Amino acid sequence: DIAKICNMSVGETSRLFKKIVRKAPIEYLIEFRIKIASTLLIKTDMNITEIATSTGFSSPNYFTISFKKNMGLTPKEYRKKMKNLE
C-alpha cells in the first residue's frame, strides 16, 4: 500500500523506509500494533483474542509471540504486572 501511494516499487519503498525509519515496514507495523495492544491490556478488560484481532494480528498465538518478542513478557504477564503497579 505504501509503494502504491508513493508510486514506487515495493523493493524501493522498503529500502527507503528502512533507511529513514531504521527498520523494515513490517517491523514498524508490528511494534505500532503492540504499542496499541499494550494500552488495551492496561486500560480495558478485553481478552487476548479480542485485543489481537482489534490490533490487526492474524491469530492470538502470533500476537502472543510478537508481544513477548517485543516486550519481554506475554500479554497476560504484562497485564498482570502493569495492574499490580497501579
Side-chain angles (χ1 to χ4, degrees):
D1 290 342
I2 297 170
K4 285 180 187 176
I5 291 168
C6 296
N7 197 29
M8 296 169 60
S9 71
V10 173
E12 185 62 24
T13 302
S14 184
R15 281 188 291 281
L16 184 58
F17 189 96
K18 193 167 186 174
K19 182 178 180 181
I20 294 169
V21 181
R22 305 254 189 254
K23 55 187 77 172
I26 191 67
E27 291 173 293
Y28 180 85
L29 180 59
I30 289 170
E31 287 177 12
F32 179 78
R33 289 175 175 174
I34 287 174
K35 183 176 179 181
I36 294 168
S38 66
T39 301
L40 293 174
L41 285 163
I42 297 167
K43 297 189 179 228
T44 74
D45 290 326
M46 293 170 68
N47 67 42
I48 304 301
T49 301
E50 291 170 327
I51 292 173
T53 302
S54 70
T55 53
F57 285 90
S58 57
S59 75
N61 187 47
Y62 180 59
F63 168 64
T64 298
I65 291 166
S66 297
F67 194 94
K68 185 167 185 173
K69 180 180 176 187
N70 282 269
M71 301 295 285
L73 301 166
T74 66
K76 185 177 178 181
E77 293 166 340
Y78 180 82
R79 176 178 266 168
K80 184 177 179 182
K81 179 180 178 182
M82 298 311 287
K83 295 261 182 183
N84 287 336
L85 294 176
E86 291 181 344

